[in-house]
Amino acid sequence: MSKSIRFSKMHGLGNDFMVIDAVNQAFIPDAEQIQRWANRHTGVGFDQLLLVEPADHPDAEFRYRIFNADGSEVGQCGNGARCFAVFVRDLGLTRQQQIRVQTQSRLLTLTIEADRQVTVDMGVPKLEPSDIPLAMPQRQTLYTVTTPQGVHSFGAVSLGNPHAVLTVTDCRQAPVHELGAYLESHALFPERANIGFMQILCPDAIRLRVYERGSGETQACGSGACAAVVVGRIQNQLDARVNVELPGGSLTIQWTGPDQPVLMTGPAQTVYTGNISLT
């Protein structure tokens, strides 16, 4: 008899996840298995797998691990963090409204609001090339790169994972798949990068599409939305509070400036729960 494991299918603005409680059941992630489960024709289908584990940090309730559809582990996922908060509350793993979780890159604070929206303290953005990481000798507001589609300018930032953000006239017409795929694994980004295409509508509203490393374009990218607002603020084009319109819906991003954390607020929903064989 094959062993099975319980999971929930969740999404944050269409950015979808398979979420597993590894506090009350044993689960060891395997890259090939994650790839099979991520397949939208023969598996569960998802952008990332999220794993809830016991924390080994004294200031955290849980350890939050994130695996892309290709099986690679990454340090941050903002939409996933909101789903994580709703998952542990709904499962009864915590009764806290404010939840501290340990990620690969830092501690996160997740706050469940009265309307079940979740605010995530995404931390202070890192802008130095060595911290992103970005293979550039010194920090700049805009960097340039030559691609098969021409020369492009971009801003770069890390929010626990590396982001490059390009400003475009119309993100609906932007070459997200071609240029996103090319830049994601460009030599400028030693750990690859998420590539955002931002259209500025006005100082407090943008449209955004994101090509995520290891997953391709997703319906929404929380850390990508934060990165776009940081880049737009550094370029003096955006206000401190911005509505970010993504293909899957909208997020509210707040960033008051240098040395301050970025706050992201948005929804998280459970689609269904189930069991899946581990063999």
Side-chain angles (χ1 to χ4, degrees):
M1 184 176 179
S2 63
K3 183 180 178 182
S4 65
I5 196 161
R6 297 184 305 279
F7 72 94
S8 290
K9 178 69 182 285
M10 303 185 72
H11 79 90
L13 302 181
N15 188 190
D16 61 340
F17 309 98
M18 179 179 185
V19 191
I20 294 176
D21 167 18
V23 174
N24 295 308
Q25 54 187 353
F27 176 71
I28 299 174
D30 173 83
E32 290 186 7
Q33 190 172 62
I34 291 170
Q35 291 170 17
R36 290 197 303 272
W37 289 349
N39 189 295
R40 296 188 182 277
H41 300 289
T42 59
V44 175
F46 52 80
D47 294 319
Q48 280 97 19
L49 180 143
L50 311 180
L51 197 57
V52 183
E53 293 184 338
D56 55 23
H57 191 289
D59 296 326
E61 282 192 74
F62 304 102
R63 185 180 181 200
Y64 165 39
R65 297 179 70 187
I66 308 125
F67 296 86
N68 284 332
D70 64 1
S72 59
E73 185 169 5
V74 294
Q76 180 63 287
C77 176
N79 287 323
R82 299 198 314 277
C83 289
F84 186 101
V86 170
F87 179 84
V88 296
R89 271 296 298 269
D90 287 353
L91 211 63
L93 298 178
T94 184
R95 294 184 178 181
Q96 302 298 319
Q97 292 293 121
Q98 194 170 79
I99 307 161
R100 293 274 281 173
V101 300
Q102 168 192 2
T103 72
Q104 189 184 70
S105 53
R106 57 180 290 267
L107 291 180
L108 284 182
T109 301
L110 318 176
T111 304
I112 301 177
E113 309 291 355
D115 59 359
R116 278 180 65 87
Q117 295 251 323
V118 180
T119 297
V120 183
D121 180 339
M122 299 288 286
V124 177
K126 296 179 180 178
L127 299 166
E128 292 297 329
S130 59
D131 293 331
I132 295 173
L134 173 68
M136 285 287 186
Q138 60 187 20
R139 175 177 163 182
Q140 300 175 50
T141 300
L142 281 175
Y143 305 90
T144 59
V145 59
T146 302
T147 77
Q149 289 82 20
V151 178
H152 293 275
S153 299
F154 65 93
V157 59
S158 173
L159 283 145
N161 52 2
H163 289 268
V165 181
L166 294 81
T167 302
V168 297
T169 303
D170 185 349
C171 70
R172 290 170 294 193
Q173 302 299 319
V176 173
H177 297 281
E178 300 82 7
L179 187 55
Y182 180 83
L183 291 177
E184 177 216 21
S185 55
H186 194 280
L188 281 173
F189 306 104
E191 297 179 6
R192 299 189 295 168
N194 303 285
I195 312 300
F197 296 81
M198 171 176 64
Q199 176 186 352
I200 298 176
L201 303 175
C202 59
D204 65 358
I206 65 173
R207 288 196 183 109
L208 180 70
R209 292 170 66 188
V210 181
Y211 190 97
E212 295 195 48
R213 61 174 180 174
S215 294
E217 185 181 9
T218 59
Q219 288 294 294
C221 177
S223 60
C226 295
V229 171
V230 169
V231 168
R233 290 274 288 155
I234 290 170
Q235 296 173 12
N236 296 313
Q237 297 187 78
L238 295 177
D239 291 342
R241 182 184 176 95
V242 179
N243 182 74
V244 181
E245 179 187 322
L246 298 135
S250 296
L251 294 170
T252 300
I253 308 299
Q254 298 178 72
W255 187 53
T256 55
D259 301 320
Q260 297 301 309
V262 183
L263 302 179
M264 172 191 64
T265 302
Q269 295 181 320
T270 300
V271 182
Y272 63 84
T273 60
N275 290 272
I276 193 167
S277 173
L278 287 172
T279 58

